[in-house]
Amino acid sequence: MGKGGEGGGDGNGENMAAWLVAVNSLKIQPYQLPPLGPRDVRVRMKAVGICGSDVHYLKTMSCAQYVVKEPMVIGHECAGVIEEVGSEVTSLAVGDRVAIEPGISCGHCKHCKGGRYNLCPDMKFFATPPVHGSLANQIVHPADLCFKLPDNVSLEEGAMCEPLSVGVYACRRAFVGPETNVLIVGAGPIGLVTMLAARAFGASKIVITDADDSRLSVAKTLGADDTVKVSKNMEDLDEEVIQIQKAMGADIHATFDCAGFSKTMSTALNATCAGGKVCLVGMGENELTVPLTPAAAREVDVIGVFRYKDTWPLCIEFLRSGKVDVRPLITHRFGFSQEEVEKAFEVSARGHDAIKVMFNL
């Protein structure tokens, strides 16, 4: 169980949350908070975004190796306002607006001590079973995972620090810089934030691919240098790689597969230049069949990405400075009622014109 809260509640309705109770079934029910620890803060949620993993849990009660075995509060992209601070908290005060990093690592294992806390085997991450999430009126969370927002950064933008962190961490892993030509495979929410992050890191040219015209149009509006429409058919791969390389007009140094399917990863491996890097960001399939041997012969490095680490300060600075503008990604907004929660997840699940669906609590 994470810090966020405990199951049940006293039924007085003072703190309510959206509970995933069964396949395609969300219920707003009481959510009892744990006592405030000396280094914790109590946060009133103001903005919570819907992630693809949230939708996956709703549709299947599982995501990758994680299985929902009992009712769980959903949501992990969030920001809010501090309402109470623990006795040892000095970095935050009541009334501060904060973006929240949703994972609590153990701090003691070899990964945590080595600085890669995102790989902690005992990570307690919002809305990852059995840990409850943040689509609630209030949560309790460690103060050092709550980051104060500048006056010119909204709470919605603060909630977007979570998906933006995925793109920022991926760009760090692939060493994106001013001399890097970047290919992004998949123009969904994560592909788009990765594109924005790559631009903020100074990427010289960015090409993005997708099978959906509307998403490619959004990518172009957000600053992609070029777009290439692709199909879902493996037999089209070779011709599409030629089109992608032509669109780039130069070597592709770093490719981000933000979908995670056999075809998208094969496209990434085949399109990337010798000595380049392919970063697998999306997790569409657990097993992929890909042309590793020819990629290995060209010394293409394959890099894995799991969540993020130490990204919130940079994400907030990108937002404060205007280097990244995530506001156009928020396409739909809903309140926090039973009817609106159900409708919001329906909209998010359909995709297409829905990029980021946001709750305003």
Side-chain angles (χ1 to χ4, degrees):
M1 187 71 66
K3 278 283 186 182
E6 300 170 352
D10 59 11
N12 61 15
E14 290 184 357
N15 189 49
M16 307 295 283
W19 292 78
L20 173 59
V21 297
V23 172
N24 291 324
S25 181
L26 288 165
K27 301 294 183 185
I28 294 183
Q29 299 177 158
Y31 182 41
Q32 183 179 343
L33 295 179
L36 190 76
R39 298 180 181 179
D40 296 335
V41 292
R42 179 166 54 85
V43 187
R44 181 163 293 276
M45 292 289 92
K46 292 295 185 180
V48 181
I50 297 179
C51 174
S53 66
D54 295 324
V55 174
H56 208 70
Y57 281 123
L58 177 63
K59 296 297 182 184
T60 67
M61 296 292 280
S62 67
C63 188
Q65 73 268 34
Y66 302 104
V67 179
V68 180
K69 297 180 180 179
E70 57 185 26
M72 178 186 78
V73 177
I74 205 75
H76 62 268
E77 303 176 358
C78 54
V81 177
I82 302 292
E83 291 206 327
E84 186 179 4
V85 300
S87 59
E88 297 180 14
V89 175
T90 59
S91 58
L92 295 169
V94 172
D96 284 345
R97 300 156 57 255
V98 293
I100 299 172
E101 183 171 354
I104 307 171
S105 59
C106 76
H108 305 296
C109 70
K110 64 180 181 180
H111 299 297
C112 288
K113 289 184 175 181
R116 302 182 73 177
Y117 67 83
N118 58 309
L119 301 180
C120 175
D122 295 319
M123 177 75 76
K124 294 178 173 62
F125 195 93
F126 281 162
T128 299
V131 181
H132 291 310
S134 59
L135 185 48
N137 296 132
Q138 301 177 70
I139 64 164
V140 169
H141 204 57
D144 63 358
L145 295 174
C146 298
F147 298 85
K148 188 174 179 178
L149 293 171
D151 291 341
N152 69 332
V153 177
S154 71
L155 285 159
E156 285 190 339
E157 291 172 285
M160 289 294 292
C161 283
E162 199 281 336
L164 180 59
S165 284
V166 176
V168 165
Y169 183 55
C171 287
R172 282 178 172 169
R173 291 275 286 154
F175 298 102
V176 172
E179 296 181 346
T180 311
N181 294 325
V182 169
L183 169 64
I184 296 174
V185 182
I190 292 301
L192 294 174
V193 293
T194 302
M195 183 191 76
L196 293 175
R199 184 64 75 201
F201 274 91
S204 54
K205 189 170 185 179
I206 302 174
V207 172
I208 189 165
T209 73
D210 203 276
D212 188 297
D213 284 318
S214 64
R215 294 207 163 182
L216 291 177
S217 177
V218 171
K220 190 71 173 177
T221 300
L222 291 175
D225 293 294
D226 208 343
T227 62
V228 176
K229 185 176 182 181
V230 296
S231 75
K232 298 181 180 180
N233 300 320
M234 187 66 78
E235 56 266 29
D236 296 330
L237 188 147
D238 290 341
E239 178 58 33
E240 289 170 357
V241 167
I242 293 172
Q243 294 177 31
I244 291 165
Q245 291 173 332
K246 183 178 180 180
M248 184 66 74
D251 284 344
I252 297 170
H253 304 120
T255 299
F256 299 92
D257 179 1
C258 296
F261 295 97
S262 292
K263 192 199 173 196
T264 56
M265 191 60 174
S266 297
T267 299
L269 290 167
N270 287 353
T272 304
C273 73
K277 301 181 187 300
V278 170
C279 192
L280 179 55
V281 184
M283 296 184 178
E285 295 175 323
N286 286 338
E287 294 185 5
L288 306 178
T289 301
V290 297
L292 273 181
T293 302
R298 303 195 326 275
E299 293 193 0
V300 173
D301 295 336
V302 178
I303 302 167
V305 166
F306 186 60
R307 295 173 178 156
Y308 33 67
K309 66 181 185 74
D310 302 319
T311 52
W312 259 253
L314 182 57
C315 287
I316 291 172
E317 174 56 22
F318 279 161
L319 296 172
R320 184 204 65 79
S321 65
K323 284 189 175 181
V324 171
D325 184 2
V326 294
R327 292 171 297 180
L329 299 180
I330 304 170
T331 54
H332 296 76
R333 294 173 172 85
F334 291 88
F336 189 55
S337 67
Q338 182 67 44
E339 181 181 357
E340 289 192 86
V341 166
E342 292 175 356
K343 180 63 176 177
F345 272 85
E346 289 175 10
V347 170
S348 184
R350 80 185 181 209
H352 190 54
D353 62 327
I355 299 175
K356 181 55 62 179
V357 177
M358 186 73 65
F359 290 104
N360 294 131
L361 285 76

